[in-house]
Amino acid sequence: MPTTVRSHAKINLGLGIGAPRADGFHALATVYQTLELHDLVTVSARSAAATKLHLSSNDRRVPTDSRNTAWKMMVLALEELGVATEVEIHIEKRLPVQGGLGAGSANAVAALVGLVQELGNRRQGIGKPSWPARRLELAAQVGSDVPLFLIGGTVLGLDRGQEVYPLPDIEPTWCVVAAPAVGVSTPLAFREWDALCVREGLTAEASTGKLNKLSRAYASAFAGAIPGGIPGSFSEAKQEAGSSGVLAPKNETGCEDLAGRQESALVRTGITSWIQNDFEQVVFPQHPSLAEIKRILAAEGTPEAALHASLSGSGSALFGLYLTRGDAEAAWERLRDAGVISFLTRTVDRKAYWGQMLLA
């Protein structure tokens, strides 16, 4: 019987980028955070004389060949496990394509989780102690932000983003994700960043100190975060979110506020006063409309102000985090009035991420 897996989105709570290295990559330090918002990936596998892959999607923009991250992950995993299998993958897209939410990378991990489930007793090598580390290595070969989805929750990402470490989880926090129609080219964003580094004299060597300091600051701040939330409120919201992780806006808040009006663990870290995304320095001048959307999400100086608002990755998706559902709904309504598509959801901690991954 096919296995259906929730393929969760991520946001970058903060993202520090270094100057280009000799190998052409950029070192970075980031805090990834998974969301309830997700695609659905369905995997079926059966024994075959030779490995065959079939991939389909409800979105014609999704490649259905070797360009797809899920396809790449299957090739590596099946080769590693030495299992001849005919695999069918269907990706039901609910997340923006190339929006800075890690959707394609999450699809790759969801496909791997589905494959492991499908193989059952034929899971040769998966029970070995080396498998958890090995699957992280395979994920890093597929893409820099693929490994984070093998951890989930709040995650520290270093080097190219593929070196990942679990951070203490914040409690589930209301989130509005804006999905503007404008497209952002990640290669172009990096080229603009490289030009900025030249103008400001930031070298790859100098970046090392900057990013080491930033990663220590991230780790220190989140060490004080308190995991968990108000019992009951998260599970109720999960039920309401149904199969998509998108919560329907409504005019009642009350007991659905996660942390009441007092404070949140994200605020207690102190990180909201200084965390930022370096890409905003080059993306916003190219796309002023994105800076305006961030302003709408942030609503600074109002009772409904965001705890934190930012571009995610290189964009074009942006997000705001809010203390109460009412604050998040107000942001959703402001974006609707501005003609911007957005999703009301919330962050998901590590335990819930893995607990709800397989669709019952």
Side-chain angles (χ1 to χ4, degrees), residues 1-240:
M1 183 175 178
T3 299
T4 299
V5 184
R6 289 185 173 93
S7 179
H8 292 267
K10 64 82 180 170
I11 52 177
N12 296 81
L13 296 182
L15 175 58
I17 313 169
R21 306 187 310 200
D23 62 3
F25 290 104
H26 296 73
L28 57 83
T30 187
V31 177
Y32 298 115
Q33 175 62 57
T34 49
L35 302 177
E36 280 194 330
L37 198 61
H38 59 265
D39 291 334
L40 292 176
V41 176
T42 300
V43 180
S44 61
R46 53 185 176 272
S47 297
T51 294
K52 294 182 181 179
L53 294 179
H54 308 277
L55 198 153
S56 60
S57 176
N58 65 325
D59 190 324
R60 65 178 58 189
R61 295 171 298 173
V62 176
T64 57
D65 53 23
S66 59
R67 295 171 295 164
N68 190 287
T69 53
W71 183 293
K72 294 174 183 177
M73 179 63 86
M74 289 300 93
V75 170
L76 292 174
L78 290 169
E79 181 179 346
E80 177 73 17
L81 298 173
V83 180
T85 307
E86 185 170 359
V87 180
E88 294 184 5
I89 305 167
H90 180 74
I91 300 174
E92 183 179 329
K93 296 301 294 183
R94 286 126 180 252
L95 302 174
V97 176
Q98 296 179 334
L101 299 175
S105 298
N107 291 166
V109 168
L112 178 62
V113 170
L115 176 67
V116 169
Q117 189 75 10
E118 283 288 292
L119 291 179
N121 293 332
R122 295 186 290 132
R123 297 183 296 175
Q124 302 168 0
I126 294 175
K128 294 180 180 178
S130 60
W131 172 247
R134 183 57 182 150
R135 68 178 187 172
L136 281 169
E137 294 172 359
L138 297 177
Q141 292 179 44
V142 176
S144 295
D145 62 354
V146 177
L148 83 93
F149 293 105
L150 287 169
I151 296 180
T154 309
V155 181
L156 177 65
L158 303 177
D159 192 12
R160 294 180 289 107
Q162 89 290 357
E163 185 179 328
V164 288
Y165 303 93
L167 289 170
D169 278 313
I170 59 172
E171 80 269 15
T173 303
W174 292 105
C175 180
V176 174
V177 176
V182 63
V184 173
S185 166
T186 298
L188 176 59
F190 271 116
R191 287 197 295 272
E192 293 294 328
W193 174 258
D194 294 349
L196 178 63
C197 290
V198 171
R199 292 196 299 272
E200 298 191 350
L202 180 63
T203 64
E205 293 73 20
S207 298
T208 301
K210 164 196 167 182
L211 296 176
N212 285 345
K213 182 178 179 181
L214 183 58
S215 62
R216 288 194 297 269
Y218 285 153
S220 176
F222 280 90
I226 301 175
I230 296 176
S233 61
F234 187 33
S235 60
E236 290 166 5
K238 271 173 47 182
Q239 292 172 5
E240 183 185 340

Side-chain angles (χ1 to χ4, degrees), residues 166-341:
L167 289 170
D169 278 313
I170 59 172
E171 80 269 15
T173 303
W174 292 105
C175 180
V176 174
V177 176
V182 63
V184 173
S185 166
T186 298
L188 176 59
F190 271 116
R191 287 197 295 272
E192 293 294 328
W193 174 258
D194 294 349
L196 178 63
C197 290
V198 171
R199 292 196 299 272
E200 298 191 350
L202 180 63
T203 64
E205 293 73 20
S207 298
T208 301
K210 164 196 167 182
L211 296 176
N212 285 345
K213 182 178 179 181
L214 183 58
S215 62
R216 288 194 297 269
Y218 285 153
S220 176
F222 280 90
I226 301 175
I230 296 176
S233 61
F234 187 33
S235 60
E236 290 166 5
K238 271 173 47 182
Q239 292 172 5
E240 183 185 340
S243 62
S244 67
V246 181
L247 293 146
K250 59 185 182 181
N251 296 322
E252 299 175 4
T253 54
C255 65
E256 290 181 339
D257 294 348
L258 288 174
R261 268 286 172 187
Q262 295 77 26
E263 198 179 37
S264 75
L266 187 64
V267 171
R268 285 193 295 274
T269 66
I271 204 170
T272 55
S273 64
W274 55 265
I275 196 169
Q276 64 180 11
N277 183 335
D278 280 346
F279 267 129
E280 292 183 2
Q281 298 179 56
V282 294
V283 171
F284 285 176
Q286 294 293 322
H287 303 282
S289 62
L290 299 184
E292 174 61 15
I293 291 172
K294 178 181 176 180
R295 187 193 66 78
I296 294 172
L297 284 164
E300 292 181 2
T302 73
E304 299 161 340
L307 300 171
H308 178 55
S310 177
L311 190 72
S312 184
S314 62
S316 59
L318 302 99
F319 67 90
L321 299 175
Y322 302 90
L323 190 61
T324 70
R325 175 168 186 150
D327 294 346
E329 288 180 345
W332 182 87
E333 290 170 357
R334 291 193 301 272
L335 290 170
R336 179 197 60 192
D337 293 343
V340 179
I341 295 173

